[in-house]
């Protein structure tokens, strides 16, 4: 994405999940562990009202922990085939994102990309507390996952190289594609080499690194003209 152009997201019931996603440095490689870490940190910043809603929506299998369901959207791809394109968005070899041009699946169906998915599940969660036909538990699990995905650089990448999936690199001694390195290898290596093989230790370190300055973008999110959808700020 162009450095001056950011996708700014709204503040629905659970959108304090976003608070993690501006943590410096760029710890935004999202395999299973990455998604769990996103939610472990984000849970700390939920308001009392949002935390109560999350607890009400979580499945019993979650044990009251949002982080346990954050990888869920990756585990159901075989069942929800239609959801595969919702994990990413590609641009036609240009460093900017245009919703009308880029947010579609391979059949050209509009809205079928990660930004469209965030819009959709945000809108569904606004119906919490009302009579609705939506499965808000799934809406929460999808949204928590996709907010993580959209902040992984290669989930918003070039169509030609399939978000780095066709680019072969070496991560230390292992051959891998660039997308996998971002998704998995960076975090796995960091946990092993710097955090004594403990994800919880890495999470606690990231929490301690959060400073007042990291949340400067909150005013931009809150001033997003459309509160129910993503908006661009140049």
């Amino acid at each position: 994405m162009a450095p001056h152009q950011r996708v700014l997201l709204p503040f629905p019931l659970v959108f304090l999940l976003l608070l993690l996603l501006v943590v410096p440095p760029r710890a935004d490689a999202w395999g299973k562990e990455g998604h769990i870490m996103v939610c472990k940190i984000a849970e700390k910043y939920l308001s009392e009202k949002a935390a109560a809603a999350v607890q009400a929506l979580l499945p019993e299998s979650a044990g009251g922990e949002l982080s346990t369901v954050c990888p869920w959207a990756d585990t159901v791809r075989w069942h929800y085939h239609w959801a595969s394109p919702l994990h990413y968005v590609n641009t036609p070899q240009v460093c900017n994102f245009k919703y009308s041009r880029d947010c579609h699946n391979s059949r050209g169906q509009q809205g079928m990309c990660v930004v469209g998915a965030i819009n959709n599940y945000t809108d569904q969660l606004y119906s919490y507390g009302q009579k609705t036909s939506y499965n808000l538990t799934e809406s929460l699990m999808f949204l928590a996952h996709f907010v993580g995905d959209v902040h992984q650089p290669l989930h918003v990448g070039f169509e030609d190289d399939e978000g780095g999936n066709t680019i072969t690199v070496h991560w230390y001694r292992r051959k891998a594609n660039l997308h996998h390195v971002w998704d998995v290898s960076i975090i796995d290596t960091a946990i092993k080499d710097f955090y004594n093989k403990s994800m919880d230790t890495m999470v606690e370190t990231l929490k301690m690194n959060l400073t007042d300055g990291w949340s400067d973008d909150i005013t931009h999110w809150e001033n997003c003209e459309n509160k129910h959808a993503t908006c661009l700020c140049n």
Side-chain angles (χ1 to χ4, degrees), residues 110-233:
Q110 290 296 311
M112 295 295 285
C113 76
V114 66
V115 180
I118 290 171
N119 290 348
N120 180 45
Y121 292 113
T122 295
D123 192 58
Q124 290 184 19
L125 285 163
Y126 267 111
S127 68
Y128 176 75
Q130 307 167 25
K131 186 176 181 180
T132 179
S133 60
Y134 296 126
N135 183 334
L136 295 185
T137 293
E138 290 196 356
S139 300
L140 170 64
M141 295 191 294
F142 271 128
L143 181 61
H145 184 94
F146 293 144
V147 169
D149 275 346
V150 79
H151 288 83
Q152 202 274 54
L154 294 176
H155 278 257
V156 185
F158 291 150
E159 185 175 12
D160 286 357
D161 59 40
E162 299 176 11
N165 275 292
T166 65
I167 299 175
T168 301
V169 297
H170 283 84
W171 181 252
Y172 294 89
R173 296 183 178 181
R174 291 190 176 184
K175 189 176 182 180
N177 69 66
L178 184 59
H179 191 104
H180 180 80
V181 168
W182 269 104
D183 262 347
V184 178
S185 303
I186 293 174
I187 281 184
D188 283 353
T189 300
I191 292 173
K192 174 178 175 290
D193 291 351
F194 303 109
Y195 300 101
N196 198 29
K197 300 181 180 179
S198 170
M199 183 197 304
D200 288 339
T201 300
M202 185 170 177
V203 168
E204 291 305 313
T205 302
L206 288 172
K207 286 180 180 179
M208 288 189 295
N209 285 338
L210 293 176
T211 62
D212 291 339
W214 71 271
S215 58
D216 290 344
D217 279 347
I218 287 179
T219 54
H220 293 293
W221 303 338
E222 292 176 331
N223 292 328
C224 183
E225 196 170 303
N226 185 343
K227 299 291 185 180
H228 286 246
T230 54
C231 65
L232 293 178
C233 178

Side-chain angles (χ1 to χ4, degrees), residues 32-75:
K32 178 181 179 181
E33 289 76 13
H35 281 289
I36 290 173
M37 291 166 66
V38 166
C39 291
K40 276 183 176 290
I41 297 177
E43 282 179 303
K44 175 183 176 182
Y45 294 95
L46 293 172
S47 68
E48 184 176 341
K49 181 179 179 181
V54 168
Q55 288 299 312
L57 291 173
L58 285 176
E60 288 186 12
S61 60
E65 297 285 338
L66 177 63
S67 60
T68 63
V69 301
C70 286
W72 172 82
D74 279 336
T75 69

